[in-house]
Amino acid sequence: MPNMSLRKNKMPVQEPSLRSKNFDEVALGYTPEQAVDEAGRCLNCKNKPCVSMCPVSIDIPGFIAKIREKKFKEAYEIIRQNSSLPAVCGRVCPQEVQCESRCVRGIKGEPVAIGFLERFVADWCDENLKQVEKVVEKTGRKVAIVGSGPAGLSCAGDLAKRGHEVTIFEALHAPGGVLTYGIPEFRLPKKIVEKEMENLKKLGVEVKTNVVVGCSVTVDELFSQGFEAIFISSGAGLPRFMNIPGENLNGVYSANEFLTRINLMKAYKPDSQTPIKRVRRVAVVGGGNVAMDAARAAKRLGARDVYVIYRRSENEMPARKEEIQHAKEEGIIFKTLCQPTRIHGDSLNFVDKIICSRMQLKEPDESGRRRPVEKKGSEFEICVDCVIISIGTSPNPLIRRSTPDLEANSWGGLVVDPQTGLTSKKAVYAGGDVVTGAATVILAMGAGKNAARAIDKYLAELG
Amino acid sequence: MFKVVKKKILNSNVSMMEISAKMIADKARPGQFLMLRVDQEGERIPLTIADCNRKYGTVSIIFQIVGSTTTRLNRLNEGDHIKDLVGPLGKASELDGLKKVAVVGGGVGCAIAYPVAKYLHSSDVIVHSIIGFRNKNLVILQDEFEKISNRLIIMTDDGSFGDKGLVTDALENLISSGEKYDKVIAIGPLVMMKFVSRLTQKHNIKTTVSMNPIMIDGTGMCGGCRVMVGNEVKFACVDGPDFDGHLVDFDEAISRSMMYRDFERESREKTCNLFKRSQKECQI
């Protein structure tokens, strides 16, 4: 008999007043009892609507059934068949718009907490089992992967499992891509990323840090070094700015810079050599997950007032509902329907206020979201000493520039076959943000997975 | 890890290091830079590649000791290792098709001007080098510049070596004495590059400057290195570091370079204390 509770088991979290002062993980994870109880809510539907919404097609009712039977290791194995990073996905996937959005239990009441269960299984196995990767027969084929973010890691894992010799080239000094420099410790502890890296290395994947493909070595040179196929997953790239007066004042950061200083360079730790401005009043411009991360990180650095300024209403915010809620609990102040018009500085060119206009929503635009229009004469100012711009990125030009036969679209994203990830260049595949623009971890992983399948097929056909 | 194979003290606060880094040495061209991290807790800093030796797979950097990181870097000796080194980054300087060029270097910027002048000289371009320093004790690379310049003028602010005055004075004299340059390449402190650009704009001579703003990743991700060039946002790491000197907003760049000045000073003092050296020994 299934557990017919309309509500899911609540995720235990650190108290807001406590967590807004530390960088430790906010969500603490289910206990085995909670997990088994939650798993009991799954109806094990025959047509599995949840699976149809999973970018990597995990057998969701299958692994949940194993949790109900307390066979956590078997549950883990089911997830691992399709996902190479379960501990990561259980934390950062937007389940509410994917698997959980189609859960039958969600029609009346809350859907099964699929994400929380995935996370539980991954963490339980990490703590309780010694993972042994099966030894696979080597094919002797060499594949190069550009970038060690979610797309690159998932592609590398799948190719290594098929016996190919995989080398990942990472531009920064630490692997993980956005998992390392972008998503903060309090949402995704770096030891989890390190653990996933170790698992990949056990599969035989080699990671070379401090190599910028496009500068240190080109795509064509990788072929001449003996790589037979290349997967480009170099990520989203340069931050966008609003082009309003005052954006280059001291104290104005892109979210990428602010978060990189904190996450990759650990600027919040006393022994880090990387500086970050100690701020008291912060305005974060934008409404995505990155904006939430920046706002919550600023709070943890000791800022008293942190504002999120977004030009549409909360309904249109691209950030996950859970992140918005966590941010609010931590005291982040939401200024929705507001658009910055300029940033003002003091006599030394440090930010002292941001000037905004109030907006109203009109008919939907091409993105399907309602178009914000400025209300005349509604300007107001907020005193701040730091502004963080989090309105998206445009693709990094380095690989395109050094690989002329790689086709890109008008905004700079690489053009690929959507099924295989094959680019306009033979044996070169691409996936993740470098193709789609800024998207989610799981979509990037899905792209890496598809490309791995196509690369494996291509290599097999080489004979 | 990257091994320091040679170290040379150029003056009281400028050092040269030759580092084993084959991948970078194979590729580096004049004007490009690298990012380095001295140790595990270290920050990432950009430094221009001063020279490279393809045969031995080494690159040279020349750095001024200004903050904690350069202080830590300067504590390394031959045989020690640098934790992380990545490059070559940025676009190489555009140096082809030139016939006669004035290369203007200021202070430690001469380290960046040198490989440019050397490349031009080896391409049979007439090179007039003007290098400026605050005083005699800070003069670097004099012999090197002499070898590759058709004309070399050394300026010091106090006249303790070479001619007294600013590099712009020397450049102005050359131009008014009838020297015609296809291009002026100015590399040094922002204020120097600003005034060289202002002078050459008056004389309508194309001018390239090399910007060295604050960077975190140096690979086109953080946006910290943005510079306004002709009213457009440009990123020094992927669009530069060379830009048209007549289009760069120097006043803004100067103000942006002040962002962490207090932090730099404090952190340097802390580092000096850590190594139990007096401020004087630290040569601030």
Side-chain angles (χ1 to χ4, degrees), chain B residues 169-195:
Chain B
D169 301 334
L171 183 61
E172 177 125 53
N173 284 340
L174 288 173
I175 295 170
S176 55
S177 73
E179 298 285 2
K180 296 253 180 284
Y181 300 110
D182 308 337
K183 199 177 201 178
V184 170
I185 298 172
I187 305 169
L190 289 165
V191 179
M192 182 206 94
M193 295 196 286
K194 172 182 166 176
F195 284 101

Side-chain angles (χ1 to χ4, degrees), chain A residues 169 171-174 181 209-212 215-218 221 225 237-239 241 243 247-254 256-258 260-261 264-266 269-277 348-350 393-394 396-398 401, chain B residues 2 23-24 27 32 37 39 41-44 68-69 72 83-91 214-228 233 235 237-239 251-252 255-260 263 267 270-271:
Chain A
F169 295 96
L172 297 176
H173 58 263
Y181 75 75
T209 53
N210 293 323
V211 181
V212 184
C215 293
S216 318
V217 62
T218 64
E221 285 163 347
Q225 286 176 15
L238 285 161
F241 290 90
N243 296 317
E247 260 180 319
N248 294 329
L249 288 166
N250 289 336
V252 181
Y253 290 101
S254 74
N256 272 7
E257 180 183 352
F258 188 74
T260 300
R261 283 178 185 273
L264 177 71
M265 306 310 298
K266 311 276 179 243
K269 289 189 177 171
D271 54 351
S272 171
Q273 293 287 308
T274 300
I276 194 152
K277 200 168 174 281
L348 293 170
N349 292 319
F350 280 78
T393 56
S394 55
N396 189 307
L398 295 176
R401 209 187 272 162
Chain B
F2 298 83
M23 205 180 217
I24 304 175
K27 281 274 161 126
Q32 291 188 294
R37 210 163 71 108
D39 48 36
E41 302 309 324
E43 63 173 336
R44 295 169 65 94
S68 169
T69 298
R72 280 164 190 265
K83 181 87 175 63
D84 296 293
L85 202 64
V86 59
L89 301 167
K91 288 182 175 169
I214 291 168
M215 289 185 189
I216 318 296
D217 65 300
T219 64
M221 193 263 285
C222 81
C225 65
R226 61 193 186 274
V227 179
M228 291 306 278
V233 178
F235 299 101
C237 66
V238 292
D239 300 322
D251 292 336
E252 188 181 271
S255 134
R256 285 179 65 76
S257 72
M258 308 287 191
M259 173 91 180
Y260 293 102
F263 187 97
S267 146
K270 251 190 255 167
T271 307

Side-chain angles (χ1 to χ4, degrees), chain B residues 41-173:
Chain B
E41 302 309 324
E43 63 173 336
R44 295 169 65 94
I45 61 160
L47 285 171
T48 302
I49 300 167
D51 210 345
C52 69
N53 186 327
R54 297 222 156 92
K55 194 175 156 202
Y56 295 108
T58 61
V59 291
S60 302
I61 50 171
I62 295 178
F63 57 94
Q64 185 168 8
I65 301 140
V66 284
S68 169
T69 298
T70 40
T71 305
R72 280 164 190 265
L73 181 60
N74 196 44
R75 286 181 57 84
L76 299 183
N77 288 309
E78 288 173 12
D80 290 342
H81 288 82
I82 292 172
K83 181 87 175 63
D84 296 293
L85 202 64
V86 59
L89 301 167
K91 288 182 175 169
S93 302
E94 287 171 19
L95 302 172
D96 294 332
L98 299 171
K99 291 194 174 64
K100 187 170 170 181
V101 174
V103 176
V104 183
V108 74
C110 293
I112 313 169
Y114 171 68
V116 171
K118 184 178 161 191
Y119 178 88
L120 289 170
H121 177 76
S122 70
S123 324
D124 298 323
V125 178
I126 298 171
V127 176
H128 288 182
S129 302
I130 305 168
I131 55 176
F133 304 91
R134 286 211 311 277
N135 60 50
K136 187 184 174 185
N137 296 335
L138 299 176
V139 174
I140 57 169
L141 300 173
Q142 184 193 352
D143 295 346
E144 285 83 351
F145 268 102
E146 244 155 31
K147 277 185 214 146
I148 49 132
S149 307
N150 299 76
R151 208 167 159 181
L152 172 65
I153 300 171
I154 301 178
M155 305 293 290
T156 49
D157 293 359
D158 62 358
S160 55
F161 193 78
D163 295 338
K164 183 176 171 161
L166 302 171
V167 288
T168 39
D169 301 334
L171 183 61
E172 177 125 53
N173 284 340

